[in-house]
């Protein structure tokens, strides 16, 4: 029995229709009105929000048939499609320039497609960790406060003032750590090559294979996801697949136009193009996954919320980075790597250093308020530095921040060294049913007031 058809589903789809039509019409050459940049960003943004709701319902319902981790990985892959679209555009343009001129010419402010492809990717990664992860803690804490006011139960966010993750999410932490260790070598190069693509894509494939070993279990569903999850097996799987497909198509149709609307609005206000590509466009392209994460956190599913963003980070730091040189090589008609200039090497170093610090925080499988605040403050320093400082001063600041991130990561790894071996083992080889039993035992041993849904 499935209960009454949820009204939220057609409302979300209806919200996505105008932006989806405009985006598809633009690509297909169909008649459509030309909107002012600010209005276009609003229409496409609403469509992406509608798609984010559909994604969250599909991901929750999919846990009836596949493991929660694999469902979140699929969700993360679809939610990050806007970032792929933007980076692939810049990478393809960079390949065309390289094919025509034999090199990527430097430009003032690093605003050539060669530089912008990496600028958008590094900016998106840092936004995801520096804004997205702290946002999860903030929204989850607010949801717990709301639940307590209405006499509801606590959430995992109340356990020692943090978002506590199940040990099954060790896989995300470990594979992000592996990708981060490899990424620390990228700033030492002058090109991003097809060898890097092979290594990074292989890490992602190993991550997906590891998640596929987790068994499906009965999820705690409510609302629209409960209706979908309650359908008969064939109908449920078709519906879940259809929801994922619809949401993915909406995001593909709207993402680039959403980013363009924001960038054009910023240009009209006199904002530097490099800043727009590094910060404004990533905020737009990360919107679907940030919205989905906030939805999970607001529903007191803090672990799923952080798990979604953690899976997105693994996705971006492996598959996205790995496919950039592939797109470049196809466009340029060469096996040469994507050139990396001095500024982009610093950007890569800062992004890898932030990622290393993020992994060190999650060795305990918990994101504390202090850790979230550290991530946000350090991100805010680099963000405002890029806005207020000249290129040379900003480069010095980023090098200094990279050193701070790495130093903090080393301290955290040493402090939590007793957990390193266990987390690595859990992430790589420990059967998922054993991890689930360990989480159940920990929950039973925890005081009643501290038990959470995750």
């Amino acid at each position: 029995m499935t209960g009454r058809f949820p009204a939220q589903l057609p409302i979300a789809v209806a919200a996505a229709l105008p932006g989806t039509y405009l985006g598809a019409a633009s690509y297909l050459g169909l008649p459509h009105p030309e909107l002012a940049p600010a209005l276009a960003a609003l229409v496409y943004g609403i469509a992406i929000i509608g798609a984010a709701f559909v994604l969250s319902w599909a991901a929750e319902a999919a846990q009836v048939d596949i493991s929660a981790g694999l469902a979140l990985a699929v969700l993360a892959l679809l939610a990050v499609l806007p970032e792929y679209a933007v980076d692939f555009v810049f990478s393809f343009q960079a390949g065309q320039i390289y094919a025509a001129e034999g090199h990527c010419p430097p430009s003032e402010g690093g605003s050539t497609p060669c530089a912008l492809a990496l600028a958008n990717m590094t900016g998106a990664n840092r936004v995801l960790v520096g804004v997205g992860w702290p946002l999860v803690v903030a929204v989850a804490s607010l949801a717990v406060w709301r639940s307590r006011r209405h006499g509801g139960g606590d959430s995992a966010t109340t356990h020692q003032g943090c978002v506590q993750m199940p040990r099954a999410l060790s896989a995300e932490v470990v594979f992000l750590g592996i990708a981060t260790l490899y990424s620390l070598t990228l700033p030492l190069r002058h090109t991003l090559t097809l060898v890097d693509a092979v290594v990074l894509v292989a890490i992602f494939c190993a991550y997906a294979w590891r998640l596929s070993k987790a068994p499906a279990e009965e999820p705690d569903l409510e609302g629209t996801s409960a209706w979908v999850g309650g359908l008969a097996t064939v109908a449920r799987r078709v519906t879940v697949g259809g929801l994922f497909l619809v949401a993915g198509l909406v995001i593909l149709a709207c993402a680039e136009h959403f980013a363009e609307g924001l960038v054009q609005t910023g240009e009209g206000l006199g904002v530097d193009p490099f800043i727009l590509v590094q910060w404004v466009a990533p905020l737009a392209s990360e919107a679907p996954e940030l919205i989905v994460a906030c939805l999970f956190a607001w529903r007191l599913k803090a672990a799923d919320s952080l798990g979604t963003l953690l899976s997105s980070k693994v996705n971006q730091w492996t598959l996205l980075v790995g496919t950039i040189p592939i797109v470049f090589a196809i466009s340029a008609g060469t096996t040469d790597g994507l050139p990396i200039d001095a500024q982009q090497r610093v950007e890569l170093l800062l992004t890898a250093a932030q990622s290393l610090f993020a992994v060190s925080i999650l060795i305990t499988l918990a994101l504390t308020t202090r850790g979230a605040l550290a991530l946000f403050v350090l991100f805010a320093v680099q963000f405002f530095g890029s806005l207020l400082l000249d290129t040379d001063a900003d480069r010095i600041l980023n090098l200094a921040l990279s050193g701070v991130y790495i130093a903090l990561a080393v301290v955290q790894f040493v402090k939590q060294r007793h957990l390193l071996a266990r987390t690595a083992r859990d992430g790589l080889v420990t059967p998922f049913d054993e991890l689930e039993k360990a989480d159940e035992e920990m929950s039973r041993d925890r005081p009643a007031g501290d038990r959470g849904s995750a």
Side-chain angles (χ1 to χ4, degrees), residues 17 19 27 35 52 55 60 76 107 188 266 269 290 305 329 334 343 366 429 438:
L17 284 178
Y27 287 126
L35 303 180
L55 276 178
E60 288 182 305
S107 68
L188 305 177
L269 298 174
L290 293 179
S305 177
T334 178
Q343 181 177 358
V429 298

Side-chain angles (χ1 to χ4, degrees), residues 340-363:
I340 306 175
D341 62 22
Q343 181 177 358
Q344 293 310 311
R345 288 198 293 275
V346 174
E347 298 287 346
L348 284 169
L349 174 62
L350 180 59
T351 308
Q354 183 205 47
S355 182
L356 186 68
F357 178 51
V359 170
S360 73
I361 290 176
L362 295 186
I363 286 296

Side-chain angles (χ1 to χ4, degrees), residues 40-42 44-49 52 78-86 120 123-124 127-128 131 251 254-264 275-291 316:
L42 176 63
Y44 292 122
I46 291 174
I48 289 175
I49 291 173
L78 291 173
V80 82
L81 283 177
E83 190 57 40
Y84 279 85
V86 174
N120 187 261
V127 165
L128 184 63
V131 176
I251 290 171
C254 299
E256 185 179 358
H257 299 296
F258 183 33
E260 287 177 352
L262 287 177
V263 168
Q264 290 173 7
I275 298 298
L276 291 172
V277 170
Q278 186 169 49
W279 299 126
V280 179
L283 281 172
S285 59
E286 298 293 338
E289 55 200 306
L290 293 179
I291 293 169
Q316 291 189 30

Side-chain angles (χ1 to χ4, degrees), residues 5 118 357:
F5 180 78
L118 291 179
F357 178 51

Side-chain angles (χ1 to χ4, degrees), residues 224-312:
T224 303
S225 57
W227 178 82
V228 176
L231 295 172
T233 300
V234 174
R236 180 181 62 247
R237 293 175 179 174
V238 170
T239 302
V240 168
L243 292 178
F244 274 134
L245 178 62
V246 168
L249 290 175
V250 171
I251 290 171
L252 281 176
C254 299
E256 185 179 358
H257 299 296
F258 183 33
E260 287 177 352
L262 287 177
V263 168
Q264 290 173 7
T265 301
E267 288 177 339
L269 298 174
V271 182
D272 181 77
F274 185 84
I275 298 298
L276 291 172
V277 170
Q278 186 169 49
W279 299 126
V280 179
L283 281 172
S285 59
E286 298 293 338
E289 55 200 306
L290 293 179
I291 293 169
V292 169
C294 288
L295 290 174
F296 281 145
W298 189 247
R299 296 171 189 164
L300 297 178
K301 296 185 176 182
D304 283 350
S305 177
L306 185 56
T308 299
L309 294 188
L310 183 54
S311 186
S312 292

Side-chain angles (χ1 to χ4, degrees), residues 156 159 164 166-167 435-454:
H159 181 52
Q164 187 72 41
R167 285 176 64 178
L435 298 178
E436 183 180 350
K437 290 178 182 178
D439 285 326
E440 292 175 353
E441 292 174 0
M442 184 180 298
S443 180
R444 285 195 297 269
D445 293 340
R446 194 180 300 167
D450 284 340
R451 293 176 189 169
S453 60

